[in-house]
Amino acid sequence: MVDPEPLISMSTRDCAAKVLQSAVTLGVFGKLAEGPASAEQAAGRIGLHPRMAADFLDALAGLGLLERLDGRYRNAPIAQEYLVPDSSTYLGGFIELTNETLYGTWEKLTDALRTGEPQRLDPDKGGFVGRQHENPATMKRFLTGLDAYSERLGAEIARRGDWSRHESFVDLGGARGNLAAVLVRSHPHLKATCFDLERTRPLFTEHVTGLGLEERISFVGGDFFTDPLPEADVVVLGRILHGFETEQRKALLQRVFESVRPGGTVLIYDRMLDDDRSDPRRLLSSLHMRLVSPSGSEYRAVDCCAWLTEAGFVRAEAEAMMGAQTLVVAHKEPRQDGPERNVA
């Protein structure tokens, strides 16, 4: 007889996510960063009802978010690193926004499967992505929540290839400039430009000025498809192409090709589908994009390489990055009379 436990586990997986999200909302990890506490002490610090406290804290320990030793609870390393408020690596803002937005969309999956229509949270404001941009406070919270993730991505990209051959790069959809900041700090000779919607400028200015990098990272506001893209040796597109359908992706990559200087490079990262479309994490990410946008989805790395070749780039190659991410790198041929610039 086949064990039904995998089905039961799959159908109750949201419970673990809700425990995490409630813990972030209640400030559990910030309170326990003050020092280990018994269940009674922790309940007092956090404001938990005694009836719920022990099971809740033990559930967090069972999920690997807390550690329990001699009846006292403390943050597990992953929670201490990413879930303590006011730390530079804090991911709590992203987790709270996931709680507020993800479930309202995914509960409409059945409707989307029947109709093919995106299930926007607010049709008048462009769905999930649009809402972040329309509300400055929500947008700041969302982008701040992604900073810890972009720190890791930036560090990964910074160590790949020979950046000494380049002088400049553009981060398309660069938001607050956090990934650009990681790159210019890792390679002090680089100058960066963030290209994003004009309404992102105040958040960029606040963040980059706070980092003391305003002389090295500039901002250009505009639309990917209608406004001129800044020229640079390297252009980075992170989690951009999955928001569009194939013909739009090809059109954007053609524009990117024109903006990359001869001998330069394009770097693209996304949660791309594996070639045989079998990885459930990536397929769920693709379903999410179809739920929240009229044309977005994840795509295969092999297809991305083909689009880049069609646009004029050469030597397009894909490699795994940070587990679920894929990095695609391609190059623009150098001028015959000039030096080649290349991160490969």
Side-chain angles (χ1 to χ4, degrees):
M1 184 175 180
V2 177
D3 184 0
E5 183 57 34
L7 291 177
I8 296 170
S9 296
M10 194 179 302
S11 67
T12 59
R13 200 165 291 160
D14 283 355
C15 299
K18 282 296 184 181
V19 168
L20 166 61
Q21 291 156 358
S22 289
V24 169
T25 300
L26 291 167
V28 169
F29 307 106
K31 295 297 185 182
L32 289 179
E34 298 170 6
S38 66
E40 184 178 1
Q41 291 169 333
R45 286 187 201 172
I46 299 162
L48 303 176
H49 192 284
R51 178 175 174 269
M52 306 294 290
D55 283 353
F56 179 59
L57 295 169
D58 285 341
L60 287 168
L63 291 169
L65 298 171
L66 296 182
E67 295 177 344
R68 186 184 62 196
L69 182 64
D70 297 329
R72 292 168 68 81
Y73 298 88
R74 65 184 182 186
N75 289 337
I78 191 170
Q80 188 66 28
E81 179 81 15
Y82 294 110
L83 297 177
V84 176
D86 300 323
S87 70
S88 63
T89 56
Y90 184 59
L91 276 173
F94 175 73
I95 290 169
E96 286 186 298
L97 278 169
T98 299
N99 184 36
E100 294 167 11
T101 59
L102 197 65
Y103 291 95
T105 302
W106 274 84
E107 69 181 10
K108 301 173 184 176
L109 175 61
T110 302
D111 292 338
L113 293 171
R114 287 174 172 153
T115 67
E117 295 295 323
Q119 304 300 303
R120 294 171 175 164
L121 295 173
D122 189 343
D124 294 331
K125 292 189 175 181
F128 178 75
V129 175
R131 288 186 64 191
Q132 314 316 318
H133 286 290
E134 290 290 340
N135 184 325
T138 304
M139 182 181 173
K140 179 178 180 179
R141 191 162 151 238
F142 176 72
L143 295 179
T144 301
L146 293 179
D147 282 350
Y149 196 62
S150 63
E151 289 273 347
R152 293 184 62 210
L153 279 168
E156 279 288 311
I157 292 172
R159 71 177 183 81
R160 293 172 188 251
D162 183 6
W163 284 89
S164 67
R165 295 172 178 262
H166 301 292
E167 298 175 357
S168 63
F169 71 92
V170 171
D171 185 5
L172 290 188
R176 299 204 323 154
N178 204 62
L179 184 136
V182 175
L183 284 173
V184 300
R185 281 175 163 171
S186 299
H187 301 288
H189 68 286
L190 288 173
K191 293 280 189 179
T193 302
C194 286
F195 184 92
D196 211 319
L197 296 172
E198 182 60 39
R199 56 189 171 222
T200 310
R201 186 186 294 272
L203 295 177
F204 167 87
T205 301
E206 177 188 46
H207 186 56
V208 170
T209 301
L211 295 174
L213 294 172
E214 63 272 22
E215 297 299 319
R216 299 183 56 201
I217 309 174
S218 59
F219 183 90
V220 175
D223 182 283
F224 293 148
F225 295 99
T226 59
D227 294 309
L229 302 182
E231 286 190 0
D233 299 334
V234 179
V235 174
V236 180
L237 294 88
R239 301 188 66 77
I240 296 297
L241 294 184
H242 73 171
F244 305 108
E245 51 84 24
T246 298
E247 291 307 311
Q248 289 176 300
R249 294 166 183 162
K250 290 182 178 181
L252 178 55
L253 291 178
Q254 187 63 60
R255 302 192 84 220
V256 169
F257 179 78
E258 300 301 326
S259 69
V260 173
R261 292 175 182 142
T265 300
V266 59
L267 305 175
I268 299 171
Y269 64 87
D270 252 324
R271 185 171 285 193
M272 299 181 199
L273 299 173
D274 51 319
D275 287 351
D276 63 359
R277 296 175 55 87
S278 60
D279 186 332
R281 296 173 303 168
R282 298 169 189 266
L283 290 164
L284 289 173
S285 181
S286 192
L287 269 176
H288 179 72
M289 290 307 302
R290 294 185 187 278
L291 273 168
V292 300
S293 66
S295 58
S297 68
E298 303 298 348
Y299 50 92
R300 301 186 307 164
V302 65
D303 296 321
C304 184
C305 290
W307 303 330
L308 288 165
T309 300
E310 183 178 331
F313 291 100
V314 298
R315 303 192 309 280
E317 297 181 344
E319 58 183 298
M321 184 175 71
M322 287 178 55
Q325 298 291 321
T326 299
L327 176 68
V328 172
V329 181
H331 311 280
K332 186 171 182 176
E333 293 281 18
R335 292 193 182 97
Q336 295 301 312
D337 58 350
E340 181 172 2
R341 294 179 176 181
N342 192 337
V343 298

CSV table of all heavy atoms in Angstrom, one decimal, residues 100-108 117-135 138 199 291-294:
chain,number,residue,atom,x,y,z
A,100,GLU,N,1.0,38.9,3.4
A,100,GLU,CA,-0.1,39.8,3.0
A,100,GLU,C,-0.6,39.7,1.6
A,100,GLU,O,-1.7,39.9,1.3
A,100,GLU,CB,0.3,41.3,3.3
A,100,GLU,CG,0.6,41.6,4.7
A,100,GLU,CD,1.3,42.9,4.9
A,100,GLU,OE1,1.4,43.7,3.9
A,100,GLU,OE2,1.8,43.2,6.0
A,101,THR,N,0.3,39.2,0.7
A,101,THR,CA,0.0,39.2,-0.7
A,101,THR,C,-0.1,37.9,-1.4
A,101,THR,O,-0.9,37.6,-2.2
A,101,THR,CB,1.0,40.1,-1.5
A,101,THR,OG1,2.3,39.6,-1.3
A,101,THR,CG2,1.0,41.5,-1.0
A,102,LEU,N,0.8,37.0,-0.9
A,102,LEU,CA,0.9,35.7,-1.6
A,102,LEU,C,-0.4,34.9,-1.5
A,102,LEU,O,-0.9,34.3,-2.5
A,102,LEU,CB,2.1,34.9,-1.1
A,102,LEU,CG,2.6,33.7,-1.9
A,102,LEU,CD1,3.2,34.2,-3.2
A,102,LEU,CD2,3.6,33.0,-1.2
A,103,TYR,N,-0.9,34.8,-0.3
A,103,TYR,CA,-2.1,33.9,-0.1
A,103,TYR,C,-3.3,34.4,-0.8
A,103,TYR,O,-4.1,33.6,-1.3
A,103,TYR,CB,-2.3,33.7,1.4
A,103,TYR,CG,-1.2,32.9,2.1
A,103,TYR,CD1,-0.1,33.5,2.6
A,103,TYR,CD2,-1.2,31.5,2.0
A,103,TYR,CE1,1.0,32.8,3.2
A,103,TYR,CE2,-0.1,30.8,2.5
A,103,TYR,CZ,0.9,31.4,3.1
A,103,TYR,OH,2.0,30.7,3.6
A,104,GLY,N,-3.5,35.7,-0.8
A,104,GLY,CA,-4.7,36.3,-1.5
A,104,GLY,C,-4.7,36.0,-3.0
A,104,GLY,O,-5.7,35.9,-3.6
A,105,THR,N,-3.5,35.8,-3.5
A,105,THR,CA,-3.4,35.4,-5.0
A,105,THR,C,-3.5,33.9,-5.2
A,105,THR,O,-4.3,33.5,-6.0
A,105,THR,CB,-2.1,35.9,-5.5
A,105,THR,OG1,-2.0,37.3,-5.3
A,105,THR,CG2,-2.0,35.6,-7.0
A,106,TRP,N,-2.8,33.2,-4.4
A,106,TRP,CA,-2.7,31.7,-4.7
A,106,TRP,C,-4.1,31.0,-4.4
A,106,TRP,O,-4.4,30.0,-4.9
A,106,TRP,CB,-1.6,31.1,-3.9
A,106,TRP,CG,-0.3,31.1,-4.7
A,106,TRP,CD1,0.5,32.2,-4.8
A,106,TRP,CD2,0.2,30.1,-5.6
A,106,TRP,NE1,1.6,31.9,-5.6
A,106,TRP,CE2,1.4,30.7,-6.1
A,106,TRP,CE3,-0.2,28.9,-5.9
A,106,TRP,CZ2,2.2,29.9,-7.0
A,106,TRP,CZ3,0.6,28.1,-6.8
A,106,TRP,CH2,1.7,28.7,-7.4
A,107,GLU,N,-4.9,31.6,-3.5
A,107,GLU,CA,-6.2,31.0,-3.3
A,107,GLU,C,-7.1,31.1,-4.5
A,107,GLU,O,-8.1,30.4,-4.6
A,107,GLU,CB,-6.9,31.6,-2.0
A,107,GLU,CG,-7.3,33.0,-2.3
A,107,GLU,CD,-8.0,33.6,-1.0
A,107,GLU,OE1,-7.9,33.0,0.1
A,107,GLU,OE2,-8.6,34.7,-1.1
A,108,LYS,N,-6.7,31.9,-5.5
A,108,LYS,CA,-7.4,32.0,-6.7
A,108,LYS,C,-6.8,31.2,-7.9
A,108,LYS,O,-7.2,31.4,-9.0
A,108,LYS,CB,-7.5,33.5,-7.1
A,108,LYS,CG,-8.1,34.4,-6.1
A,108,LYS,CD,-8.0,35.8,-6.5
A,108,LYS,CE,-8.6,36.8,-5.4
A,108,LYS,NZ,-8.4,38.2,-5.7
A,117,GLU,N,-6.7,33.8,-16.8
A,117,GLU,CA,-6.6,35.2,-16.4
A,117,GLU,C,-5.7,35.4,-15.2
A,117,GLU,O,-5.8,34.6,-14.2
A,117,GLU,CB,-7.9,35.8,-16.2
A,117,GLU,CG,-8.8,35.9,-17.4
A,117,GLU,CD,-8.2,36.8,-18.5
A,117,GLU,OE1,-7.6,37.8,-18.2
A,117,GLU,OE2,-8.4,36.4,-19.7
A,118,PRO,N,-4.8,36.4,-15.1
A,118,PRO,CA,-4.1,36.7,-13.9
A,118,PRO,C,-5.1,37.1,-12.8
A,118,PRO,O,-6.0,37.8,-13.0
A,118,PRO,CB,-3.2,37.8,-14.3
A,118,PRO,CG,-3.8,38.5,-15.5
A,118,PRO,CD,-4.6,37.4,-16.2
A,119,GLN,N,-4.7,36.7,-11.6
A,119,GLN,CA,-5.6,36.9,-10.4
A,119,GLN,C,-5.0,38.1,-9.6
A,119,GLN,O,-4.4,37.9,-8.6
A,119,GLN,CB,-5.8,35.7,-9.6
A,119,GLN,CG,-6.3,34.5,-10.3
A,119,GLN,CD,-7.7,34.8,-10.9
A,119,GLN,OE1,-8.6,35.1,-10.2
A,119,GLN,NE2,-7.8,34.6,-12.3
A,120,ARG,N,-5.1,39.3,-10.1
A,120,ARG,CA,-4.5,40.5,-9.5
A,120,ARG,C,-5.2,40.8,-8.2
A,120,ARG,O,-6.4,40.7,-8.1
A,120,ARG,CB,-4.6,41.7,-10.5
A,120,ARG,CG,-3.8,41.5,-11.7
A,120,ARG,CD,-4.0,42.6,-12.7
A,120,ARG,NE,-3.1,42.4,-13.9
A,120,ARG,CZ,-3.3,43.1,-15.0
A,120,ARG,NH1,-4.4,43.9,-15.1
A,120,ARG,NH2,-2.5,42.9,-16.0
A,121,LEU,N,-4.4,41.3,-7.3
A,121,LEU,CA,-4.9,41.7,-6.0
A,121,LEU,C,-5.6,43.0,-6.1
A,121,LEU,O,-6.6,43.3,-5.4
A,121,LEU,CB,-3.8,41.8,-5.0
A,121,LEU,CG,-3.0,40.5,-4.7
A,121,LEU,CD1,-1.8,40.8,-3.8
A,121,LEU,CD2,-4.0,39.6,-4.0
A,122,ASP,N,-5.2,43.8,-7.1
A,122,ASP,CA,-5.8,45.1,-7.2
A,122,ASP,C,-5.8,45.5,-8.7
A,122,ASP,O,-4.8,46.1,-9.2
A,122,ASP,CB,-5.1,46.2,-6.4
A,122,ASP,CG,-5.8,47.5,-6.4
A,122,ASP,OD1,-6.7,47.7,-7.3
A,122,ASP,OD2,-5.5,48.4,-5.6
A,123,PRO,N,-6.8,45.1,-9.5
A,123,PRO,CA,-6.7,45.3,-11.0
A,123,PRO,C,-6.5,46.7,-11.4
A,123,PRO,O,-5.9,46.9,-12.5
A,123,PRO,CB,-8.1,44.8,-11.4
A,123,PRO,CG,-8.6,43.9,-10.3
A,123,PRO,CD,-8.0,44.4,-9.1
A,124,ASP,N,-6.9,47.7,-10.6
A,124,ASP,CA,-6.8,49.1,-11.0
A,124,ASP,C,-5.3,49.6,-10.8
A,124,ASP,O,-5.0,50.6,-11.3
A,124,ASP,CB,-7.7,50.0,-10.2
A,124,ASP,CG,-9.2,49.7,-10.5
A,124,ASP,OD1,-9.5,49.2,-11.6
A,124,ASP,OD2,-10.0,49.8,-9.5
A,125,LYS,N,-4.5,48.8,-10.1
A,125,LYS,CA,-3.2,49.3,-9.9
A,125,LYS,C,-2.1,48.3,-10.3
A,125,LYS,O,-1.0,48.2,-9.8
A,125,LYS,CB,-3.0,49.6,-8.4
A,125,LYS,CG,-3.8,50.8,-8.0
A,125,LYS,CD,-3.4,51.2,-6.6
A,125,LYS,CE,-4.2,52.5,-6.2
A,125,LYS,NZ,-3.8,53.0,-4.8
A,126,GLY,N,-2.5,47.4,-11.3
A,126,GLY,CA,-1.5,46.6,-11.9
A,126,GLY,C,-1.1,45.3,-11.2
A,126,GLY,O,0.0,44.7,-11.5
A,127,GLY,N,-1.9,44.8,-10.2
A,127,GLY,CA,-1.5,43.6,-9.5
A,127,GLY,C,-0.4,43.7,-8.5
A,127,GLY,O,-0.1,44.8,-8.0
A,128,PHE,N,0.2,42.6,-8.2
A,128,PHE,CA,1.2,42.6,-7.1
A,128,PHE,C,2.3,43.6,-7.3
A,128,PHE,O,2.6,44.4,-6.5
A,128,PHE,CB,1.7,41.1,-7.0
A,128,PHE,CG,2.8,41.0,-5.9
A,128,PHE,CD1,2.4,41.0,-4.6
A,128,PHE,CD2,4.1,40.9,-6.3
A,128,PHE,CE1,3.4,40.8,-3.6
A,128,PHE,CE2,5.1,40.7,-5.3
A,128,PHE,CZ,4.7,40.7,-4.0
A,129,VAL,N,3.0,43.5,-8.5
A,129,VAL,CA,4.1,44.4,-8.7
A,129,VAL,C,3.7,45.9,-8.7
A,129,VAL,O,4.3,46.7,-8.1
A,129,VAL,CB,4.8,44.0,-10.0
A,129,VAL,CG1,5.9,45.0,-10.4
A,129,VAL,CG2,5.4,42.6,-10.0
A,130,GLY,N,2.6,46.1,-9.4
A,130,GLY,CA,2.1,47.5,-9.5
A,130,GLY,C,1.8,48.1,-8.1
A,130,GLY,O,2.1,49.3,-7.9
A,131,ARG,N,1.2,47.3,-7.2
A,131,ARG,CA,0.9,47.8,-5.9
A,131,ARG,C,2.1,48.3,-5.1
A,131,ARG,O,2.1,49.2,-4.4
A,131,ARG,CB,0.1,46.7,-5.1
A,131,ARG,CG,-1.3,46.5,-5.6
A,131,ARG,CD,-2.0,45.5,-4.7
A,131,ARG,NE,-2.1,46.1,-3.3
A,131,ARG,CZ,-2.5,45.4,-2.3
A,131,ARG,NH1,-2.8,44.1,-2.4
A,131,ARG,NH2,-2.6,46.0,-1.1
A,132,GLN,N,3.2,47.5,-5.3
A,132,GLN,CA,4.4,48.0,-4.6
A,132,GLN,C,4.9,49.3,-5.1
A,132,GLN,O,5.4,50.1,-4.3
A,132,GLN,CB,5.6,46.9,-4.8
A,132,GLN,CG,5.2,45.5,-4.7
A,132,GLN,CD,4.3,45.2,-3.5
A,132,GLN,OE1,4.5,45.7,-2.4
A,132,GLN,NE2,3.3,44.4,-3.7
A,133,HIS,N,4.7,49.6,-6.4
A,133,HIS,CA,5.2,50.9,-6.9
A,133,HIS,C,4.2,52.0,-6.6
A,133,HIS,O,4.6,53.2,-6.5
A,133,HIS,CB,5.4,50.8,-8.4
A,133,HIS,CG,6.7,50.0,-8.8
A,133,HIS,ND1,7.9,50.5,-8.5
A,133,HIS,CD2,6.8,48.8,-9.3
A,133,HIS,CE1,8.8,49.6,-8.9
A,133,HIS,NE2,8.2,48.5,-9.4
A,134,GLU,N,2.9,51.7,-6.5
A,134,GLU,CA,2.0,52.8,-6.3
A,134,GLU,C,2.0,53.3,-4.9
A,134,GLU,O,1.7,54.5,-4.6
A,134,GLU,CB,0.6,52.3,-6.6
A,134,GLU,CG,0.3,52.0,-8.1
A,134,GLU,CD,0.2,53.3,-8.9
A,134,GLU,OE1,0.0,54.3,-8.3
A,134,GLU,OE2,0.4,53.2,-10.1
A,135,ASN,N,2.3,52.5,-3.9
A,135,ASN,CA,2.3,52.9,-2.5
A,135,ASN,C,3.8,53.1,-2.1
A,135,ASN,O,4.5,52.1,-1.9
A,135,ASN,CB,1.6,51.9,-1.7
A,135,ASN,CG,1.5,52.3,-0.2
A,135,ASN,OD1,2.4,53.0,0.3
A,135,ASN,ND2,0.4,52.0,0.4
A,138,THR,N,4.8,51.0,1.1
A,138,THR,CA,4.8,49.6,0.8
A,138,THR,C,6.0,49.2,-0.1
A,138,THR,O,6.6,48.2,0.1
A,138,THR,CB,3.5,49.1,0.2
A,138,THR,OG1,2.4,49.5,1.0
A,138,THR,CG2,3.4,47.6,-0.1
A,199,ARG,N,9.7,56.9,-10.4
A,199,ARG,CA,9.2,57.0,-9.0
A,199,ARG,C,10.0,56.2,-8.0
A,199,ARG,O,9.8,56.3,-6.8
A,199,ARG,CB,7.7,56.5,-8.9
A,199,ARG,CG,7.5,55.1,-9.5
A,199,ARG,CD,6.0,54.8,-9.5
A,199,ARG,NE,5.7,53.6,-10.2
A,199,ARG,CZ,4.7,53.4,-11.1
A,199,ARG,NH1,4.0,54.5,-11.4
A,199,ARG,NH2,4.5,52.3,-11.7
A,291,LEU,N,0.1,33.9,-12.3
A,291,LEU,CA,-1.0,34.4,-11.4
A,291,LEU,C,-1.0,35.9,-11.3
A,291,LEU,O,-2.1,36.5,-11.2
A,291,LEU,CB,-0.9,33.7,-10.1
A,291,LEU,CG,-1.5,32.3,-9.9
A,291,LEU,CD1,-1.0,31.7,-8.6
A,291,LEU,CD2,-3.0,32.4,-9.9
A,292,VAL,N,0.1,36.5,-11.2
A,292,VAL,CA,0.2,37.9,-10.8
A,292,VAL,C,0.4,38.9,-12.0
A,292,VAL,O,0.4,40.1,-11.8
A,292,VAL,CB,1.3,38.2,-9.7
A,292,VAL,CG1,1.0,37.4,-8.5
A,292,VAL,CG2,2.7,37.9,-10.3
A,293,SER,N,0.7,38.3,-13.2
A,293,SER,CA,0.9,39.2,-14.3
A,293,SER,C,0.2,38.6,-15.6
A,293,SER,O,0.0,37.4,-15.7
A,293,SER,CB,2.4,39.3,-14.6
A,293,SER,OG,3.0,38.0,-15.0
A,294,PRO,N,-0.1,39.5,-16.5
A,294,PRO,CA,-0.8,39.0,-17.7
A,294,PRO,C,0.0,38.2,-18.7
A,294,PRO,O,-0.5,37.5,-19.5
A,294,PRO,CB,-1.3,40.3,-18.4
A,294,PRO,CG,-0.4,41.4,-17.9
A,294,PRO,CD,0.0,40.9,-16.5
